[in-house]
Amino acid sequence: GQSLEQPSEVTAVEGAIVQINCTYQTSGFYGLSWYQQHDGGAPTFLSYNGLDGLEETGRFSSFLSRSDSYGYLLLQELQMKDSASYFCAVRAFAKGGKLIFGQGTELSVKP
Amino acid sequence: DTGVSQNPRHKITKRGQNVTFRCDPISEHNRLYWYRQTLGQGPEFLTYFQNEAQLEKSRLLSDRFSAERPKGSFSTLEIQRTEQGDSAMYLCASSLPGQGYEQYFGPGTRLTVT
């Protein structure tokens, strides 16, 4: 089967750092993507890890450990506009196109 | 606007009716994907195209669902004999070849079956 586990909700204050974890169990694994979705909006791409280690993109960083089937998204200097749902998504096959999404983590940023 | 567009944005239909949705991807993207999303869940893969070829279809997709991309540009998703369980947001996304990890999503079509 295919499963991705994320916390359902996370709350943090402005300016803080938050980490959203994702563990996966899939029949194939080629990489892990992260997407952000605001209420009523479309998912937007944030980051991708095809190799183990840390990828940094501005305030957002993403980490992957293939041996642990684990990744995380790190959001620094939180802003109110970061309140959204965050999804990890597994790219199961190199040539395949589909992404397998987790159920999402709803992040609430408080003043 | 050079993003992914979807029409209609909202569709209300009665159970048993057929509906068709359209997706226009980013012009240079040859891959096009359809997903379904229900409240509180992540997008669920339905099918994807590379140019006009439909390369994968989810086992969850019943025979009532069909998708086409006749000229490798826009795509349509048709649902026949709609059921209340089909009520969801239908999302379309596109990507460049070899970059399926970075998909660009449209605003979605919200389907309500009454």
Side-chain angles (χ1 to χ4, degrees):
Chain A
Q2 321 269 34
S3 70
L4 286 82
E5 297 288 334
Q6 304 178 232
S8 57
E9 296 178 347
V10 172
T11 301
V13 296
E14 264 188 307
I17 299 172
V18 72
Q19 179 174 311
I20 298 174
N21 299 320
C22 173
T23 57
Y24 58 87
Q25 187 172 10
T26 56
S27 55
F29 181 84
Y30 200 72
L32 189 70
S33 294
W34 288 91
Y35 285 78
Q36 178 192 61
Q37 186 176 32
H38 286 98
D39 268 351
T44 56
F45 172 78
L46 292 176
S47 188
Y48 174 70
N49 293 78
L51 301 173
D52 282 2
L54 192 68
E55 291 287 336
E56 297 180 86
T57 310
R59 294 188 298 115
F60 295 172
S61 302
S62 60
F63 173 83
L64 175 66
S65 169
R66 288 169 174 260
S67 60
D68 296 321
S69 298
Y70 164 76
Y72 66 72
L73 179 69
L74 192 73
L75 296 86
Q76 302 182 62
E77 302 172 14
L78 281 175
Q79 303 174 9
M80 297 294 289
K81 68 178 182 179
D82 297 329
S83 292
S85 291
Y86 292 83
F87 297 92
C88 58
V90 165
R91 183 186 183 195
F93 305 103
K95 291 189 176 181
K98 75 178 183 186
L99 292 175
I100 303 165
F101 283 82
Q103 293 195 336
T105 298
E106 186 174 352
L107 172 64
S108 297
V109 180
K110 307 294 185 186
Chain B
D1 187 355
T2 56
V4 177
S5 62
Q6 293 187 245
N7 287 290
R9 295 292 305 276
H10 303 273
K11 179 71 177 178
I12 300 174
T13 191
K14 293 185 177 179
R15 188 177 54 187
Q17 298 294 304
N18 299 343
V19 294
T20 300
F21 310 140
R22 176 177 170 129
C23 171
D24 287 87
I26 294 171
S27 58
E28 59 267 29
H29 288 183
N30 74 338
R31 286 195 173 176
L32 186 149
Y33 314 82
W34 286 98
Y35 293 85
R36 176 172 62 191
Q37 187 176 27
T38 54
L39 195 63
Q41 302 294 314
E44 177 185 37
F45 172 79
L46 295 178
T47 188
Y48 94 96
F49 293 84
Q50 180 162 297
N51 299 313
E52 65 275 10
Q54 187 174 19
L55 295 187
E56 188 171 354
K57 187 173 175 180
S58 169
R59 287 173 293 176
L60 301 174
L61 213 59
S62 76
D63 291 343
R64 297 185 297 106
F65 288 72
S66 62
E68 294 183 340
R69 194 182 183 197
K71 296 183 180 179
S73 56
F74 73 92
S75 175
T76 58
L77 177 70
E78 181 183 18
I79 308 174
Q80 297 183 328
R81 305 181 302 280
T82 52
E83 301 172 356
Q84 287 190 321
D86 297 331
S87 295
M89 177 73 84
Y90 289 83
L91 295 165
C92 175
S94 67
S95 78
L96 290 167
Q99 293 188 12
Y101 57 85
E102 183 175 352
Q103 296 181 13
Y104 290 78
F105 283 81
T109 295
R110 181 166 296 284
L111 173 67
T112 302
V113 181
T114 62

